[in-house]
Amino acid sequence: MQAARRQFKAYLPDESATRDLGGALARALRPGLVIYLHGDLGAGKTALTRALLQAAGHVGAVKSPTYTLSEPYRIVLGGRQVEVIHYDLYRMSSPEEFLDAGFREDFNGDNICIVEWPEKGEPVLPPPDVNVVLDVSGPGREVELQALSDLGLLCLESLHYPPIP
Ligand SMILES: Nc1ncnc2c1ncn2[C@@H]1O[C@H](COP(=O)(O)OP(=O)(O)O)[C@@H](O)[C@H]1O
Ligand SMILES: [Mg+2]
């Protein structure tokens, strides 16, 4: 794996902290950003994605696309529409499934792709700009964000968490 160019760690004591981080990430998004979400079942990958999408203006439900594997959303970023595609690759059985579904074409430098269970997408899943690692820790979650590209660096440099009240 590529060496992290910038790392950021935080403790998220409760779900509202996860929501705040999702909001901070929504404000730091860039078109074409690829975000991997690492962590066990229940670590908060979907909760973080939901918070991000809702803070980015999506109204309505955000569920993990466990069976469909991917779910597209539309947000407005800097005055233009950008597609945010949320993947949950937990049930993906083979790399061919990813290729046959046309997922590779989704990673086109314009769509924002957020991927739960990226480990299941190896070796065909395109590389991330930002890695997010979530771990259950006491009542809350440890989170680590790593920038792995210039785009990821731009994103993490403009991330304001915890938010200034
Ligand atoms: N910072 C936090 N502290 C404690 N519980 C949290 C925190 N963030 C999210 N949760 C809870 O943890 C669970 C995470 O579930 P989910 O987001 O579906 O996990 P995953 O997608 O990683 O399997 C939810 O019940 C959510 O309410
Ligand atoms: Mg999930």
Side-chain angles (χ1 to χ4, degrees):
M1 191 180 283
Q2 237 178 317
R5 306 214 198 153
R6 190 191 173 112
Q7 274 161 304
F8 165 88
K9 279 189 192 192
Y11 183 63
L12 308 171
D14 53 28
E15 201 176 345
S16 79
T18 299
R19 270 200 298 276
D20 286 346
L21 179 60
L25 274 169
R27 287 182 282 280
L29 289 176
R30 297 280 189 290
L33 199 69
V34 176
I35 304 177
Y36 281 10
L37 300 178
H38 297 277
D40 289 337
L41 277 177
K45 302 181 295 298
T46 302
L48 184 65
T49 307
R50 179 179 301 123
L52 181 159
L53 282 164
Q54 289 176 343
H58 170 71
V59 180
V62 175
K63 290 193 226 153
S64 216
T66 309
Y67 294 97
T68 52
L69 302 186
S70 94
E71 186 68 37
Y73 299 86
R74 239 161 234 264
I75 63 163
V76 176
L77 204 62
R80 76 178 180 94
Q81 286 212 334
V82 175
E83 197 149 337
V84 179
I85 309 176
H86 177 205
Y87 301 85
D88 180 346
L89 303 182
Y90 189 67
R91 288 178 193 277
M92 203 175 74
S93 49
S94 69
E96 286 72 41
E97 203 179 336
F98 187 89
L99 299 174
D100 291 349
F103 290 160
R104 236 240 298 219
E105 287 71 43
D106 291 345
F107 292 69
N108 60 5
D110 197 28
N111 297 331
I112 294 170
C113 297
I114 303 179
V115 188
E116 296 189 36
W117 297 102
E119 304 79 6
K120 307 264 181 179
E122 282 169 10
V124 291
L125 181 67
D129 299 294
V130 173
N131 242 343
V132 178
V133 184
L134 285 156
D135 271 310
V136 174
S137 170
R141 306 288 186 267
E142 275 311 330
V143 67
E144 179 170 351
L145 292 96
Q146 306 161 337
L148 298 171
S149 70
D150 291 344
L151 192 62
L153 206 55
L154 275 178
C155 171
L156 289 202
E157 277 172 356
S158 58
L159 182 77
H160 299 295
Y161 183 86
I164 298 145

Short mmCIF file of all heavy atoms in Angstrom, two decimals, residues 13-41:
data_model
loop_
_atom_site.label_atom_id
_atom_site.label_comp_id
_atom_site.label_asym_id
_atom_site.label_seq_id
_atom_site.Cartn_x
_atom_site.Cartn_y
_atom_site.Cartn_z
N PRO A 13 -16.72 9.80 20.53
CA PRO A 13 -17.32 9.20 21.73
C PRO A 13 -18.73 8.66 21.53
O PRO A 13 -19.15 7.75 22.24
CB PRO A 13 -17.30 10.34 22.76
CG PRO A 13 -17.16 11.59 21.97
CD PRO A 13 -16.43 11.23 20.71
N ASP A 14 -19.45 9.23 20.59
CA ASP A 14 -20.83 8.77 20.37
C ASP A 14 -21.24 9.04 18.92
O ASP A 14 -20.47 9.59 18.14
CB ASP A 14 -21.80 9.46 21.35
CG ASP A 14 -21.65 10.99 21.29
OD1 ASP A 14 -21.26 11.50 20.21
OD2 ASP A 14 -21.89 11.65 22.31
N GLU A 15 -22.49 8.66 18.62
CA GLU A 15 -22.91 8.76 17.23
C GLU A 15 -22.96 10.21 16.74
O GLU A 15 -22.76 10.46 15.55
CB GLU A 15 -24.27 8.08 17.03
CG GLU A 15 -24.42 7.75 15.57
CD GLU A 15 -25.66 6.97 15.19
OE1 GLU A 15 -26.32 6.41 16.08
OE2 GLU A 15 -25.94 6.96 13.98
N SER A 16 -23.18 11.15 17.64
CA SER A 16 -23.23 12.54 17.18
C SER A 16 -21.84 12.99 16.72
O SER A 16 -21.72 13.83 15.81
CB SER A 16 -23.83 13.47 18.24
OG SER A 16 -22.88 13.77 19.22
N ALA A 17 -20.79 12.43 17.31
CA ALA A 17 -19.43 12.74 16.86
C ALA A 17 -19.20 12.18 15.46
O ALA A 17 -18.58 12.82 14.61
CB ALA A 17 -18.41 12.18 17.85
N THR A 18 -19.73 10.99 15.21
CA THR A 18 -19.64 10.41 13.86
C THR A 18 -20.37 11.30 12.86
O THR A 18 -19.89 11.53 11.75
CB THR A 18 -20.25 8.98 13.86
OG1 THR A 18 -19.50 8.17 14.77
CG2 THR A 18 -20.21 8.35 12.48
N ARG A 19 -21.52 11.81 13.28
CA ARG A 19 -22.28 12.72 12.40
C ARG A 19 -21.49 13.98 12.10
O ARG A 19 -21.46 14.46 10.97
CB ARG A 19 -23.63 13.07 13.03
CG ARG A 19 -24.74 12.09 12.65
CD ARG A 19 -26.12 12.70 12.85
NE ARG A 19 -26.36 13.04 14.25
CZ ARG A 19 -26.79 12.18 15.17
NH1 ARG A 19 -27.04 10.93 14.84
NH2 ARG A 19 -26.99 12.57 16.41
N ASP A 20 -20.83 14.51 13.14
CA ASP A 20 -20.03 15.73 12.94
C ASP A 20 -18.88 15.47 11.96
O ASP A 20 -18.58 16.32 11.11
CB ASP A 20 -19.45 16.22 14.27
CG ASP A 20 -20.51 16.86 15.15
OD1 ASP A 20 -21.61 17.17 14.65
OD2 ASP A 20 -20.23 17.04 16.36
N LEU A 21 -18.24 14.31 12.10
CA LEU A 21 -17.14 13.99 11.18
C LEU A 21 -17.67 13.83 9.75
O LEU A 21 -17.04 14.30 8.80
CB LEU A 21 -16.42 12.72 11.63
CG LEU A 21 -15.27 12.27 10.73
CD1 LEU A 21 -14.18 13.34 10.64
CD2 LEU A 21 -14.66 10.95 11.21
N GLY A 22 -18.84 13.21 9.62
CA GLY A 22 -19.46 13.07 8.29
C GLY A 22 -19.74 14.45 7.69
O GLY A 22 -19.50 14.68 6.49
N GLY A 23 -20.19 15.37 8.53
CA GLY A 23 -20.45 16.74 8.07
C GLY A 23 -19.16 17.42 7.64
O GLY A 23 -19.11 18.10 6.61
N ALA A 24 -18.11 17.23 8.44
CA ALA A 24 -16.81 17.84 8.10
C ALA A 24 -16.29 17.28 6.79
O ALA A 24 -15.78 18.02 5.94
CB ALA A 24 -15.83 17.59 9.24
N LEU A 25 -16.44 15.97 6.60
CA LEU A 25 -16.00 15.34 5.35
C LEU A 25 -16.81 15.86 4.16
O LEU A 25 -16.26 16.09 3.08
CB LEU A 25 -16.14 13.82 5.44
CG LEU A 25 -14.96 13.07 6.07
CD1 LEU A 25 -15.35 11.62 6.34
CD2 LEU A 25 -13.74 13.12 5.14
N ALA A 26 -18.12 16.05 4.36
CA ALA A 26 -18.98 16.54 3.27
C ALA A 26 -18.48 17.89 2.78
O ALA A 26 -18.51 18.18 1.58
CB ALA A 26 -20.43 16.66 3.75
N ARG A 27 -17.99 18.72 3.70
CA ARG A 27 -17.51 20.06 3.31
C ARG A 27 -16.11 20.01 2.71
O ARG A 27 -15.65 20.98 2.12
CB ARG A 27 -17.55 20.99 4.53
CG ARG A 27 -18.99 21.39 4.90
CD ARG A 27 -19.04 22.35 6.08
NE ARG A 27 -18.85 21.67 7.36
CZ ARG A 27 -19.80 21.00 8.01
NH1 ARG A 27 -21.02 20.90 7.49
NH2 ARG A 27 -19.56 20.42 9.16
N ALA A 28 -15.44 18.88 2.85
CA ALA A 28 -14.07 18.75 2.32
C ALA A 28 -14.03 17.91 1.04
O ALA A 28 -12.95 17.61 0.53
CB ALA A 28 -13.18 18.13 3.40
N LEU A 29 -15.20 17.54 0.51
CA LEU A 29 -15.24 16.67 -0.68
C LEU A 29 -14.70 17.37 -1.91
O LEU A 29 -14.80 18.58 -2.04
CB LEU A 29 -16.68 16.22 -0.97
CG LEU A 29 -17.32 15.23 -0.01
CD1 LEU A 29 -18.78 15.00 -0.41
CD2 LEU A 29 -16.55 13.91 0.02
N ARG A 30 -14.14 16.57 -2.80
CA ARG A 30 -13.68 17.05 -4.11
C ARG A 30 -14.20 16.07 -5.15
O ARG A 30 -14.22 14.86 -4.88
CB ARG A 30 -12.15 17.01 -4.20
CG ARG A 30 -11.40 17.89 -3.23
CD ARG A 30 -11.39 19.35 -3.73
NE ARG A 30 -10.52 20.21 -2.97
CZ ARG A 30 -10.73 20.61 -1.72
NH1 ARG A 30 -11.77 20.19 -1.07
NH2 ARG A 30 -9.89 21.43 -1.12
N PRO A 31 -14.58 16.56 -6.34
CA PRO A 31 -14.99 15.61 -7.38
C PRO A 31 -13.87 14.59 -7.62
O PRO A 31 -12.68 14.94 -7.56
CB PRO A 31 -15.20 16.50 -8.61
CG PRO A 31 -15.49 17.85 -8.07
CD PRO A 31 -14.69 17.96 -6.80
N GLY A 32 -14.25 13.37 -7.85
CA GLY A 32 -13.28 12.32 -8.18
C GLY A 32 -12.66 11.62 -6.98
O GLY A 32 -11.90 10.68 -7.14
N LEU A 33 -13.03 12.09 -5.78
CA LEU A 33 -12.43 11.51 -4.57
C LEU A 33 -12.87 10.05 -4.36
O LEU A 33 -14.04 9.72 -4.52
CB LEU A 33 -12.86 12.36 -3.37
CG LEU A 33 -12.05 12.26 -2.09
CD1 LEU A 33 -10.67 12.88 -2.28
CD2 LEU A 33 -12.78 12.98 -0.96
N VAL A 34 -11.91 9.21 -4.05
CA VAL A 34 -12.21 7.81 -3.72
C VAL A 34 -11.86 7.60 -2.24
O VAL A 34 -10.72 7.83 -1.82
CB VAL A 34 -11.39 6.84 -4.59
CG1 VAL A 34 -11.63 5.39 -4.16
CG2 VAL A 34 -11.74 7.02 -6.07
N ILE A 35 -12.86 7.20 -1.46
CA ILE A 35 -12.68 7.00 -0.02
C ILE A 35 -12.92 5.53 0.31
O ILE A 35 -13.98 4.98 -0.02
CB ILE A 35 -13.67 7.86 0.80
CG1 ILE A 35 -13.54 9.34 0.43
CG2 ILE A 35 -13.46 7.66 2.31
CD1 ILE A 35 -14.54 10.25 1.14
N TYR A 36 -11.95 4.90 0.93
CA TYR A 36 -12.14 3.53 1.44
C TYR A 36 -12.53 3.63 2.91
O TYR A 36 -11.91 4.39 3.67
CB TYR A 36 -10.82 2.75 1.40
CG TYR A 36 -10.38 2.18 0.07
CD1 TYR A 36 -10.99 2.49 -1.12
CD2 TYR A 36 -9.29 1.30 0.05
CE1 TYR A 36 -10.54 1.95 -2.31
CE2 TYR A 36 -8.83 0.76 -1.14
CZ TYR A 36 -9.45 1.09 -2.32
OH TYR A 36 -8.99 0.55 -3.49
N LEU A 37 -13.51 2.82 3.30
CA LEU A 37 -13.91 2.74 4.71
C LEU A 37 -13.57 1.35 5.24
O LEU A 37 -14.19 0.35 4.83
CB LEU A 37 -15.41 2.99 4.86
CG LEU A 37 -15.94 4.35 4.38
CD1 LEU A 37 -17.45 4.41 4.57
CD2 LEU A 37 -15.27 5.49 5.13
N HIS A 38 -12.59 1.30 6.15
CA HIS A 38 -12.20 0.03 6.76
C HIS A 38 -12.82 -0.08 8.15
O HIS A 38 -12.96 0.92 8.85
CB HIS A 38 -10.68 -0.05 6.93
CG HIS A 38 -9.93 -0.02 5.64
ND1 HIS A 38 -9.73 -1.15 4.88
CD2 HIS A 38 -9.35 0.99 4.98
CE1 HIS A 38 -9.03 -0.83 3.80
NE2 HIS A 38 -8.78 0.47 3.83
N GLY A 39 -13.13 -1.30 8.56
CA GLY A 39 -13.66 -1.51 9.91
C GLY A 39 -14.61 -2.68 9.91
O GLY A 39 -15.25 -2.97 8.89
N ASP A 40 -14.72 -3.32 11.08
CA ASP A 40 -15.59 -4.49 11.21
C ASP A 40 -17.06 -4.10 11.09
O ASP A 40 -17.39 -2.92 11.09
CB ASP A 40 -15.37 -5.15 12.58
CG ASP A 40 -14.01 -5.85 12.65
OD1 ASP A 40 -13.48 -6.19 11.57
OD2 ASP A 40 -13.51 -6.03 13.77
N LEU A 41 -17.91 -5.11 11.04
CA LEU A 41 -19.35 -4.89 11.06
C LEU A 41 -19.70 -4.09 12.31
O LEU A 41 -19.24 -4.43 13.41
CB LEU A 41 -20.08 -6.24 11.14
CG LEU A 41 -20.30 -6.99 9.82
CD1 LEU A 41 -20.96 -8.33 10.10
CD2 LEU A 41 -21.15 -6.17 8.86
#
